[in-house]
Amino acid sequence: MTVRVGVIGGGQLARMMIAPAVELGLELRVLAEAEGMSAELAATAVGDYRDAEAVRAFAADVDVITFDHEHVPQQVLQALVAEGVVVHPGPDALRFAQDKLVMRARLAELDVPQPDWAAVRTADELQVFLDAHDGRGVVKTPRGGYDGKGVRVVRAADDARDWLDAVGEGEALLVEELVPFVRELAQQVARRPSGETVAYPVVETVQRDGVCAEVIAPAPAATDRLVQVAEEIGRSIAEGLGVTGMLAVELFETDDERILVNELAMRPHNSGHWSQDGAVTGQFEQHLRAVADLPLGSTAPRAAWSVMVNILGGPADGTLEERFGGAMAEHPTAKIHTYGKSPRPGRKVGHVNVAGDDLDDAVYVARAAAAHFA
């Protein structure tokens, strides 16, 4: 029988699972939040992922549930599991991606290297932490932040006064040391229910205004030690948290040669888009293999270098579709992926992948092709 994979969330990550699902002979079904979303081609239902009844109705017709995002409430996930629905990754793993305080505490138990951190509820508690860390810190809302949202660099407790005032009973903010990093990295691994795990090359990510702008695979000038440590961190987290599917571990490389965990994502991730065209098995195919408990594919690169450049915002005038011809004519080695989204300042509306033997050339072509859509 054909395995039916249900994806909760109709965004671009679900959209990019469609082609590999067809190639693998899987039936992909999507619960979209609204009509006309990125993954509308596979959207078999429209509903609120926070509505237990809507999610249960959707799950009734699939063999396994997975996700385009990590925002489905725990009570909804637990209800599915209680009814015997196969959920990958499961709620026990997803809670570490949903709550940064829970994540930090668990990573500490696993002895995974991470920034100094604390849970703070009052201005006095925050100030104590800042005083112990050169008067600076990064305050984060534990739940719901992404792409720079819910993150604030502070130099005094008053800088987070509004967030502290909004902390409810039993709640807290997360404060972390302001890490003196030289660059940001990402390590992706995939794990299936049987425990088989594979790792991708560690990559360098470039952030602009809190949003991933570019990715270089593999990370340039990565020492053997860095590669080994990053992979060990990724594998230990996947196993320690019981992740099934793709796991992205965002990392800091510090000026004193530490590798520290920044964030986690339990799904395909922006840092892995390069693998669609630059690896033997792209992350979207790999995620489907993992959640369907199929043998995992090779993660080997197809070329010496792969570069991914995000298309952010899109054209001020006209449509993305109108720009394809010029971009393809001038840059025939570029692979262009768009998300079916309307242009909007700062919005991720697509990305460009370029693979080749010369890094400088790949970077130039990827940036130039992406610029056609600005």
Side-chain angles (χ1 to χ4, degrees):
M1 288 181 60
T2 299
V3 176
R4 299 163 298 177
V5 178
V7 182
I8 297 179
Q12 65 259 28
L13 301 182
R15 175 190 180 97
M16 287 182 277
M17 294 183 204
I18 296 173
V22 172
E23 293 166 356
L24 291 171
L26 304 174
E27 182 179 340
L28 196 75
R29 300 184 179 187
V30 171
L31 173 63
E33 295 88 334
E35 299 285 354
M37 293 192 68
S38 293
E40 64 177 331
L41 187 64
T44 56
V46 174
D48 188 342
Y49 60 81
R50 297 163 296 187
D51 182 337
E53 291 306 314
V55 174
R56 289 169 65 188
F58 174 71
D61 293 324
V62 300
D63 299 302
V64 58
I65 287 289
T66 192
F67 308 93
D68 171 85
H69 56 74
E70 294 106 336
H71 305 313
V72 182
Q74 276 288 313
Q75 61 268 29
V76 175
L77 298 174
Q78 295 289 356
L80 292 180
V81 172
E83 293 180 3
V85 177
V86 178
V87 180
H88 292 318
D92 289 343
L94 271 172
R95 65 192 181 99
F96 299 110
Q98 293 176 330
D99 190 310
K100 295 180 178 66
L101 280 170
V102 175
M103 174 197 75
R104 287 293 182 213
R106 180 58 179 146
L107 293 185
E109 293 174 350
L110 295 173
D111 200 26
V112 171
Q114 56 182 337
D116 288 342
W117 65 278
V120 295
R121 298 166 183 83
T122 67
D124 287 344
E125 289 176 344
L126 176 54
Q127 194 61 54
V128 167
F129 184 91
L130 297 177
D131 291 344
H133 293 84
D134 298 322
R136 300 179 301 170
V138 180
V139 176
K140 299 180 178 180
T141 54
R143 304 179 67 89
Y146 66 96
D147 285 347
K149 299 177 177 66
V151 178
R152 185 181 295 178
V153 176
V154 301
R155 289 171 173 80
D158 279 347
D159 293 341
R161 177 69 63 179
D162 55 335
W163 285 4
L164 288 165
D165 289 344
V167 171
E169 184 176 353
E171 297 178 344
L173 296 175
L174 170 65
V175 61
E176 301 172 354
E177 66 170 306
L178 186 61
V179 175
F181 64 87
V182 293
R183 62 175 172 173
E184 295 185 68
L185 306 168
Q187 175 66 61
Q188 282 194 302
V189 298
R191 183 175 181 271
R192 59 189 287 210
S194 65
E196 179 192 5
T197 305
V198 295
Y200 284 83
V202 63
V203 303
E204 179 176 342
T205 65
V206 178
Q207 316 292 320
R208 297 196 183 103
D209 298 324
V211 178
C212 180
E214 299 180 1
V215 174
I216 300 174
T223 64
D224 291 342
R225 173 187 170 277
L226 186 153
V227 171
Q228 178 183 351
V229 169
E231 181 172 334
E232 288 175 352
I233 289 172
R235 288 180 179 272
S236 67
I237 292 174
E239 293 166 8
L241 303 187
V243 177
T244 299
M246 289 298 305
L247 167 71
V249 183
E250 297 181 61
L251 302 163
F252 293 128
E253 181 182 5
T254 71
D255 56 7
D256 56 358
E257 299 185 346
R258 291 180 296 161
I259 306 297
L260 305 176
V261 174
N262 179 23
E263 305 273 2
L264 303 179
M266 297 179 188
R267 50 174 169 76
H269 188 256
N270 203 166
S271 64
H273 288 353
W274 69 273
S275 65
Q276 285 178 289
D277 306 297
V280 173
T281 310
Q283 67 165 343
F284 298 99
E285 176 184 341
Q286 197 79 278
H287 185 73
L288 291 169
R289 285 180 179 231
V291 302
D293 202 16
L294 297 170
L296 302 180
S298 169
T299 59
R302 293 185 178 275
W305 299 102
S306 291
V307 176
M308 189 278 318
V309 174
N310 271 329
I311 301 171
L312 298 173
D317 298 309
T319 66
L320 289 165
E321 290 72 24
E322 295 170 351
R323 309 296 181 93
F324 267 87
M328 291 189 292
E330 291 190 28
H331 307 290
T333 61
K335 305 292 286 186
I336 302 166
H337 303 266
T338 55
Y339 306 155
K341 293 181 174 181
S342 57
R344 188 175 71 202
R347 190 182 203 187
K348 292 178 183 176
V349 294
H351 66 272
V352 173
N353 287 333
V354 175
D357 293 330
D358 184 275
L359 176 56
D360 289 341
D361 181 66
V363 170
Y364 170 78
V365 174
R367 289 175 177 172
H372 277 268
F373 299 89

